[in-house]
Amino acid sequence: MAGVDQEKSEHAGIDSARARVRMRVPSVAERVAQELRYQLAEGFLVPGAKLTEATIAEDLGVSRNTVREAFAELAGERLLLRQPNKGVFVATLEAGDIHDVYTVRRAIEVSSIRAGGSPERIAAVRAAVEEGKRAADANDNKGLGSANQHFHGAIVALAESSRLNTIMAQILAEMRLYFHKATLNAHFYSDWLRENEQICSALEAGELESAGDLLLAYLNRSEQQQSAIHGE
Amino acid sequence: MAGVDQEKSEHAGIDSARARVRMRVPSVAERVAQELRYQLAEGFLVPGAKLTEATIAEDLGVSRNTVREAFAELAGERLLLRQPNKGVFVATLEAGDIHDVYTVRRAIEVSSIRAGGSPERIAAVRAAVEEGKRAADANDNKGLGSANQHFHGAIVALAESSRLNTIMAQILAEMRLYFHKATLNAHFYSDWLRENEQICSALEAGELESAGDLLLAYLNRSEQQQSAIHGE
DNA sequence: ATCGCTGGATTGTTGAACAATCCAGCAGAT
DNA sequence: ATCTGCTGGATTGTTCAACAATCCAGCGAT
């Protein structure tokens, strides 16, 4: 009963005008996965929490097998951790994982920005910067967070690679999970607003090396901050 | 009956000496996935082929639901393509996918080699080079192929990132799928044997920039060759 | 406290059932 | 002959109920 429900499209009389495009109707398993993704991103499900199949199945009004399929998908995305015969748990990022995640980000973000991109893609990066500024003006912390994610997503999108995009999307989803613990204070966000601006300007000016260096420096510093926050 | 079977470990009498480590017994779904991965890598299942749930379930002697779970996993790895209400098919790499795959490889391989790695990891790269030489001497085409994959896998392993490693493993699995169409002729492999040697030497000598450049050049050329083979 | 047992809860897997969807083949109309 | 629309069979999507295997907390005995 928690949002998975979705009206079956029902324009009753209109069958003379034929539908040209197949209406996108995600399978139930897919909708369950989507709902779980949402609850994970929103912090409803905290890292380490156990997800009991029967409970979730009942809550969402679907079968246990269907929940199982959704679990398999999310486990593949590293959002859930499957422990055989014990259950599935919301993934937790350990100290080592932070370095791991930033290693991936360094690889794909720097590589993407160094190769430049089409004017449209660059405009999308600029748009994310502006989105961040607006959120800052409005004191919208949540907005700041997603603006930053859009910024880095837009950088990877420069490469026009579907695979890189999905990899980045997964990494960002993992980090979202983690950020809910590291309570986001405005002070933490103050730095990179200017920095994103710089990176974007360099990109627009075609100074790809410089843009890459700036981005790399940001990622290194960000990793340090995250490690510090998480303790150790 | 096609290889999923696996003796339940049966040292009958020995129960006095307690087992300290949990024996790794993959779930049935996992074994099905593994078997399918194997058949895909081996070229038993050709790209585009349809996998009917009931058939596979019967062949492997497992339930349809279990097969379904395995499908979900492999679809997440992009080895299978799921078309709602139509079935799952062995993934096919189109012209665009080749560029896509190489974009990912450029990002993570070059990034990994530029960061260097521990002596042990570097030794693993060297080992893959030697493995290639041995396969060449033995005229073992199949061995040449896997040696090359080990080489590039070892390069990514330099980064010590579990996530990068799994990404690379998936990419390599995808390429294995594709290589079965592009019949591997010895002539095609002749080039990079020397090149791997060079890259490895540069790496061992600590000339990381040079090693990265060589690797990048190889990847670019390889992409061109692949595109050419696939037509277009 | 430690050890070992036991019972209940949860997962892993199966088999059967049914609705929804797709597809090939066929009848009929233009 | 080609197109249209129907129909039946096959396959997928999903549910349900069952059972074995496994885990875990509690409890009693040493």
Side-chain angles (χ1 to χ4, degrees), chain A residues 50-54 64-65 68 82 84-87:
Chain A
K50 173 171 185 183
L51 300 188
T52 308
E53 295 179 353
R64 201 155 73 86
N65 276 324
R68 216 141 213 293
R82 207 161 202 174
N85 286 322
K86 299 188 66 178

Side-chain angles (χ1 to χ4, degrees), chain A residues 71-225:
Chain A
F71 280 176
E73 188 169 334
L74 296 192
E77 299 173 16
R78 288 187 183 252
L79 293 180
L80 299 182
L81 176 64
R82 207 161 202 174
Q83 276 183 304
N85 286 322
K86 299 188 66 178
V88 308
F89 303 82
V90 179
T92 64
L93 291 199
E94 308 299 335
D97 289 302
I98 298 186
H99 178 63
D100 205 316
V101 163
Y102 275 93
T103 300
V104 177
R105 291 189 60 175
R106 273 186 289 268
I108 69 182
E109 292 194 44
V110 174
S111 160
S112 295
I113 205 172
R114 283 241 162 86
S118 72
E120 298 81 27
R121 295 297 182 189
I122 294 180
V125 175
R126 166 59 64 186
V129 172
E130 301 303 329
E131 178 189 349
K133 285 184 188 171
R134 280 197 306 277
D137 289 345
N139 258 12
D140 176 7
N141 260 17
K142 194 167 166 181
L144 264 175
S146 35
N148 194 31
Q149 303 224 341
H150 292 163
F151 176 74
H152 291 279
I155 285 179
V156 172
L158 290 169
E160 307 274 2
S161 159
S162 138
R163 283 168 182 77
L164 275 190
N165 284 336
T166 66
I167 292 170
M168 186 63 181
Q170 285 184 14
I171 291 280
L172 287 179
E174 280 192 80
M175 295 200 66
R176 237 173 347 249
L177 211 56
Y178 178 70
F179 273 137
H180 270 284
K181 180 170 288 181
T183 325
L184 25 96
N185 44 1
H187 149 266
F188 174 66
Y189 283 114
S190 63
D191 286 353
W192 51 261
L193 255 182
R194 291 194 320 276
E195 216 156 349
N196 285 5
E197 168 71 41
Q198 281 187 325
I199 295 173
C200 185
S201 296
L203 174 63
E204 288 168 332
E207 301 162 0
L208 302 179
E209 291 307 312
S210 167
D213 293 344
L214 286 171
L215 179 56
L216 184 56
Y218 160 75
L219 287 172
N220 285 333
R221 190 146 23 81
S222 182
E223 175 181 351
Q224 263 185 312
Q225 290 179 356

Side-chain angles (χ1 to χ4, degrees), chain B residues 136-149:
Chain B
D137 289 346
N139 257 14
D140 176 6
N141 259 17
K142 194 167 165 180
L144 264 176
S146 37
N148 195 30
Q149 302 224 341

Side-chain angles (χ1 to χ4, degrees), chain B residues 51-53 64-65 68 84-85 87:
Chain B
L51 301 187
T52 307
E53 295 180 353
R64 200 156 72 88
N65 276 323
R68 214 140 215 294
N85 287 320

Side-chain angles (χ1 to χ4, degrees), chain A residues 159-161, chain B residues 94-104 106 223 227:
Chain A
E160 307 274 2
S161 159
Chain B
E94 309 298 335
D97 289 302
I98 299 186
H99 178 62
D100 205 316
V101 163
Y102 275 93
T103 300
V104 177
R106 272 186 290 267
E223 174 181 352
S227 297

Side-chain angles (χ1 to χ4, degrees), chain B residues 6-218:
Chain B
Q6 193 166 317
E7 304 299 331
K8 321 196 167 191
S9 61
E10 40 177 45
H11 3 188
I14 322 170
D15 52 0
S16 56
R18 261 339 204 324
R20 312 298 310 279
V21 289
R22 282 281 164 239
M23 182 89 91
R24 199 94 190 87
V25 179
S27 74
V28 175
E30 193 52 48
R31 272 179 292 165
V32 171
Q34 202 57 42
E35 172 66 17
L36 290 177
R37 264 189 278 261
Y38 170 75
Q39 302 216 10
L40 287 168
E42 220 57 29
F44 248 1
L45 300 171
V46 299
K50 173 171 185 182
L51 301 187
T52 307
E53 295 180 353
T55 307
I56 304 234
E58 195 174 4
D59 284 357
L60 300 181
V62 301
S63 148
R64 200 156 72 88
N65 276 323
T66 303
V67 172
R68 214 140 215 294
E69 243 182 89
F71 280 176
E73 188 168 333
L74 297 192
E77 299 173 17
R78 297 186 102 126
L79 292 179
L80 299 183
L81 176 63
R82 207 162 202 175
Q83 275 182 306
N85 287 320
K86 299 188 66 179
V88 308
F89 304 81
V90 179
T92 63
L93 291 199
E94 309 298 335
D97 289 302
I98 299 186
H99 178 62
D100 205 316
V101 163
Y102 275 93
T103 300
V104 177
R105 291 188 60 176
R106 272 186 290 267
I108 70 183
E109 292 194 44
V110 174
S111 160
S112 294
I113 206 173
R114 283 239 162 89
S118 72
E120 297 82 25
R121 296 297 183 187
I122 294 180
V125 175
R126 166 60 63 187
V129 171
E130 302 302 330
E131 178 189 350
K133 284 185 188 171
R134 279 197 306 278
D137 289 346
N139 257 14
D140 176 6
N141 259 17
K142 194 167 165 180
L144 264 176
S146 37
N148 195 30
Q149 302 224 341
H150 292 164
F151 177 74
H152 291 279
I155 284 178
V156 172
L158 290 168
E160 307 274 2
S161 159
S162 136
R163 282 168 183 77
L164 275 190
N165 284 336
T166 66
I167 291 170
M168 187 62 181
Q170 285 185 14
I171 291 279
L172 288 179
E174 280 192 80
M175 295 200 68
R176 235 172 349 246
L177 210 57
Y178 178 70
F179 273 138
H180 270 283
K181 181 169 289 182
T183 325
L184 25 97
N185 43 1
H187 148 265
F188 174 67
Y189 283 114
S190 62
D191 286 353
W192 51 258
L193 256 182
R194 292 195 319 275
E195 217 156 347
N196 286 6
E197 167 71 42
Q198 281 187 326
I199 295 174
C200 186
S201 297
L203 174 63
E204 288 168 333
E207 301 164 0
L208 302 179
E209 292 306 312
S210 167
D213 292 345
L214 286 171
L215 179 56
L216 184 55
Y218 160 75

